[in-house]
Amino acid sequence: MTGDVQLIGLDWGTSNLRAYLYDTQGRIVDTRHQQWGVRQLPDGGFPAAMRAITSGWPPCVTIAAGMVGSRQGWVEVPYVDVPVEITTIAQGLHRVDTHTRQAIWIVPGLRQREPANVMRGEETQIIGVLALQTTRGSHAHLVLPGTHSKWVTTENHRVTAFQTFMTGEMYSLMLKHSILGAGIPEEQDQPFPNTVFMRGVQRAKESDSKGAWSQLFSTRAMMLNGELASDDVAEFLSGLLIGEEFRVARSSGVYDTNVQLCIIGDASLCHRYATAAEHFGYASPSIVSDATSYGLWELARQSGLLAQASVHPFSGVKA
Amino acid sequence: MTGDVQLIGLDWGTSNLRAYLYDTQGRIVDTRHQQWGVRQLPDGGFPAAMRAITSGWPPCVTIAAGMVGSRQGWVEVPYVDVPVEITTIAQGLHRVDTHTRQAIWIVPGLRQREPANVMRGEETQIIGVLALQTTRGSHAHLVLPGTHSKWVTTENHRVTAFQTFMTGEMYSLMLKHSILGAGIPEEQDQPFPNTVFMRGVQRAKESDSKGAWSQLFSTRAMMLNGELASDDVAEFLSGLLIGEEFRVARSSGVYDTNVQLCIIGDASLCHRYATAAEHFGYASPSIVSDATSYGLWELARQSGLLAQASVHPFSGVKA
């Protein structure tokens, strides 16, 4: 590593902390990862985690996104309300004095008043994707699968509205704690796309206005009847719950099938969503992984932190 | 107690074991309760639990319903398929040799092939209610709230079809393990009917074809926004999930609002369901508690066990 680095970006969630070191062109020159999410910090808490994960890197302006800005985080950073321009989010960066030479700027989450909704971390992925211009046209529908899946509408670099599905969290709760997980094997690597997954997606689609949640118990009954092997319960459930997102999204009238979806996140999970999307009549979606690293750079750039950094690299500007 | 007793009935579920001692007229002369469900048996297992809970009672013909007849129970008793006459269920009683003077007869559960569904224990409550003739007309719609709520259609003493909602199990999983339960107080006794519960019911009703499950995360967002007190999250969630049962039931077209509902089970839970039912346009439902004890007697009567018992009280008839 040389002195040509300009920014440290932290993707700081509930379970994981990822650090990116950028050069002056925004290229990533080093990355690190620790399981130091805000719920499982090392001794010394946030400052110690930040020192340790950046140790040996030159001191740089540092920007962080995710649950680090939540009530359980380092500092609670107020939400910014949608609809909102990307530039407004960039202006909302919140400086935390770390009592070291290294100040840290935390990205605000987004809030929707009605229907009530919040996000923290996904806004940075969205900004990364919009900066990459991977979506066609001025409107884009973004899907961010995960513990709490987000469906987001954007328009000309504004985030206009979003919705949250607790798909990932409910899926793992059901397998771990409910009757549906009783007597089924530990999670296995299944070849994918899997016909059992598609049976679940199809079941959600057919459930129509009743919705796939009313079909949950039938998963158990199908297993008892021998219609569904116990090895297949997890895949079926995955298809049922992901299919339910598409059923609701389509029936809401917001996400019409003639606007291309962009699916953002872990590659294998995005692949599941893309498969379900096509089953529901959406054109083949684009997929973006690692959007957070682009978003952190873009936010630093739009907020003016990079320009200032090149003049006063470690002087705690904007304090 | 005198010698005028004729039957012992056991309501043997996952978590609890209840025993009833009946006289020759079917009146209950003694009841007992232990937390000896099939998942938490005392040393010595099923036979020991049965001996202990009936100790001191005269040996009698014994009939048991519930999870005791499941794969995890004493003996797995085959399901009987719906549509089915009550008399056919009575003929399906399964004799278990207990190696004591006291044989035990286990009630079969019911199975529906398409859509796949099963019940164990609720069939006995249904039979009890039909015997009590608390429902008007030849058609009746029965609702059995609980861990796995059942909605059942009956016609002239036949069970024609049923549906299961995992409402109770999901409610407690979410409060115990999901983000929705984070930072909210332990369950409290709330005065009921409660306006917060009704807000949840109304939210489910308004969710329309999207369904209430798509609104789950907004419960969290409303709490973060100050629109919902942390003390109220559990009540709101209860309303949302119970309301969702009614939304789905009504949209399925099966449970029309001009057929009276009969709600069967724990009195305070039934009261919640009755309140939600009226909000969805159903006429004031009838409520029956303790239906299992009536059903056990009725099954023993219809199967001929009582008649035989009076001739050969402890001779292991029908072996």
Side-chain angles (χ1 to χ4, degrees):
Chain A
M1 265 168 329
T2 69
D4 292 350
V5 297
Q6 190 171 22
L7 181 73
I8 291 172
L10 303 177
D11 175 4
W12 208 330
T14 303
S15 314
N16 289 285
L17 169 59
R18 278 169 224 282
Y20 305 98
L21 181 64
Y22 301 83
D23 72 10
T24 53
Q25 306 303 307
R27 288 175 299 222
I28 292 169
V29 294
D30 199 8
T31 66
R32 292 177 182 171
H33 172 229
Q34 293 286 349
Q35 289 182 321
W36 290 338
V38 304
R39 277 199 197 154
Q40 45 203 24
L41 291 167
D43 285 347
F46 289 100
M50 175 164 143
R51 271 194 305 273
I53 203 154
T54 60
S55 93
W57 285 356
C60 281
V61 170
T62 300
I63 180 170
M67 294 304 280
V68 65
S70 72
R71 201 167 293 176
Q72 290 77 41
W74 196 332
V75 166
E76 186 175 5
V77 178
Y79 291 107
V80 174
D81 286 343
V82 296
V84 66
E85 304 278 342
I86 304 299
T87 51
T88 309
I89 303 172
Q91 285 157 16
L93 292 188
H94 186 94
R95 184 177 192 277
V96 180
D97 190 349
T98 60
H99 304 294
T100 69
R101 288 194 310 165
Q102 215 168 348
I104 179 172
W105 298 84
I106 299 182
V107 180
L110 301 188
R111 175 173 57 185
Q112 180 173 272
R113 289 292 190 167
E114 186 54 40
N117 216 326
V118 290
M119 66 167 72
R120 278 202 194 272
E122 292 92 348
E123 72 296 323
T124 303
Q125 295 178 274
I126 294 164
I127 291 164
V129 166
L130 295 179
L132 286 168
Q133 298 191 296
T134 53
T135 60
R136 302 184 203 129
S138 63
H139 288 62
H141 294 165
L142 313 182
V143 181
L144 299 93
T147 307
H148 300 151
S149 282
K150 305 287 180 188
W151 286 63
V152 183
T153 52
T154 64
E155 192 183 330
N156 296 324
H157 286 219
R158 294 170 79 219
V159 178
T160 48
F162 61 99
Q163 176 159 12
T164 302
F165 296 90
M166 291 180 62
T167 303
E169 182 165 13
M170 299 305 278
Y171 171 78
S172 73
L173 278 187
M174 282 189 287
L175 288 184
K176 220 182 280 178
H177 299 293
S178 88
I179 184 74
L180 302 182
I184 75 162
E186 292 289 301
E187 214 163 336
Q188 312 151 6
D189 282 328
Q190 298 264 1
F192 192 81
N194 177 303
T195 54
V196 179
F197 172 82
M198 290 312 295
R199 271 174 76 193
V201 172
Q202 174 63 16
R203 174 66 65 105
K205 194 175 172 191
E206 285 167 355
S207 75
D208 210 29
S209 68
K210 297 194 293 296
W213 293 93
S214 70
Q215 315 287 311
L216 277 187
F217 189 76
S218 73
T219 307
R220 176 76 183 167
M222 286 162 65
M223 194 185 105
L224 293 173
N225 281 355
E227 289 171 63
L228 185 68
S230 59
D231 288 3
D232 287 339
V233 168
E235 276 297 319
F236 184 82
L237 211 51
S238 171
L240 194 65
L241 296 193
I242 291 174
E244 174 68 1
E245 285 192 33
F246 283 89
R247 187 196 69 78
V248 172
R250 211 177 51 171
S251 89
S252 72
V254 175
Y255 307 94
D256 26 346
T257 51
N258 53 8
V259 175
Q260 195 197 20
L261 294 178
C262 175
I263 305 179
I264 303 164
D266 169 73
S268 76
L269 190 55
C270 286
H271 185 39
R272 285 175 185 261
Y273 275 71
T275 309
E278 293 184 42
H279 192 71
F280 273 82
Y282 289 90
S284 183
S286 58
I287 293 181
V288 181
S289 297
D290 305 319
T292 300
S293 63
Y294 300 112
L296 288 168
W297 173 266
E298 183 64 16
L299 279 164
R301 194 184 67 74
Q302 289 207 19
S303 67
L305 281 181
L306 296 183
Q308 293 167 347
S310 65
V311 184
H312 311 288
F314 321 114
S315 60
V317 287
K318 268 196 174 180
Chain B
M1 268 168 326
T2 71
D4 293 349
V5 297
Q6 191 171 20
L7 181 73
I8 292 171
L10 302 178
D11 175 3
W12 208 330
T14 302
S15 313
N16 289 283
L17 169 59
R18 279 169 223 281
Y20 306 96
L21 182 64
Y22 302 83
D23 71 10
T24 55
Q25 305 303 308
R27 288 174 300 221
I28 292 169
V29 295
D30 199 7
T31 66
R32 292 177 181 170
H33 171 228
Q34 292 286 351
Q35 289 181 323
W36 291 336
V38 304
R39 277 200 199 152
Q40 46 203 25
L41 292 166
D43 285 348
F46 290 100
M50 176 164 142
R51 272 194 305 275
I53 204 152
T54 61
S55 92
W57 285 356
C60 280
V61 171
T62 301
I63 181 171
M67 293 305 280
V68 67
S70 71
R71 201 166 292 175
Q72 291 76 41
W74 195 334
V75 166
E76 186 175 4
V77 179
Y79 291 107
V80 174
D81 285 343
V82 296
V84 66
E85 303 279 341
I86 303 301
T87 52
T88 309
I89 303 172
Q91 286 156 15
L93 293 187
H94 186 95
R95 185 179 192 275
V96 179
D97 190 349
T98 60
H99 305 291
T100 69
R101 290 195 307 165
Q102 214 168 347
I104 179 172
W105 298 83
I106 299 182
V107 180
L110 301 186
R111 176 172 57 184
Q112 180 173 272
R113 288 293 190 165
E114 187 54 41
N117 215 326
V118 291
M119 67 167 71
R120 278 204 195 270
E122 292 92 348
E123 73 295 324
T124 303
Q125 294 179 273
I126 294 165
I127 291 163
V129 165
L130 295 179
L132 286 168
Q133 298 190 297
T134 53
T135 60
R136 301 183 203 131
S138 63
H139 289 62
H141 294 165
L142 313 181
V143 181
L144 298 95
T147 306
H148 300 153
S149 282
K150 305 286 181 191
W151 285 64
V152 184
T153 53
T154 66
E155 190 182 332
N156 296 323
H157 287 220
R158 294 171 79 221
V159 177
T160 48
F162 60 99
Q163 175 160 13
T164 303
F165 297 90
M166 292 179 63
T167 304
E169 182 165 14
M170 299 303 280
Y171 172 78
S172 72
L173 278 188
M174 282 189 286
L175 288 184
K176 221 182 279 177
H177 299 293
S178 88
I179 185 74
L180 302 181
I184 75 164
E186 291 290 299
E187 216 164 336
Q188 314 151 4
D189 283 329
Q190 297 263 0
F192 191 81
N194 176 305
T195 54
V196 178
F197 172 82
M198 290 311 296
R199 272 173 75 192
V201 172
Q202 173 63 17
R203 175 65 66 107
K205 194 175 173 192
E206 286 167 355
S207 74
D208 210 27
S209 67
K210 296 193 295 295
W213 292 92
S214 70
Q215 316 286 311
L216 277 187
F217 188 77
S218 72
T219 307
R220 177 74 183 168
M222 286 161 65
M223 194 185 105
L224 293 173
N225 280 355
E227 288 171 64
L228 186 67
S230 58
D231 288 5
D232 287 339
V233 168
E235 276 297 319
F236 183 82
L237 212 50
S238 171
L240 194 65
L241 296 192
I242 292 173
E244 174 68 1
E245 284 192 36
F246 283 89
R247 187 195 70 78
V248 172
R250 210 178 52 172
S251 87
S252 72
V254 175
Y255 307 94
D256 27 346
T257 51
N258 53 9
V259 175
Q260 195 197 22
L261 295 178
C262 176
I263 305 179
I264 304 165
D266 168 73
S268 75
L269 190 56
C270 287
H271 185 37
R272 284 175 186 261
Y273 274 70
T275 309
E278 294 184 42
H279 192 72
F280 272 81
Y282 289 91
S284 184
S286 58
I287 291 181
V288 181
S289 298
D290 305 320
T292 300
S293 63
Y294 300 112
L296 289 167
W297 174 264
E298 183 64 16
L299 279 163
R301 195 184 67 75
Q302 290 208 19
S303 66
L305 281 182
L306 296 182
Q308 293 167 347
S310 64
V311 184
H312 311 286
F314 319 119
S315 59
V317 287
K318 268 196 174 179

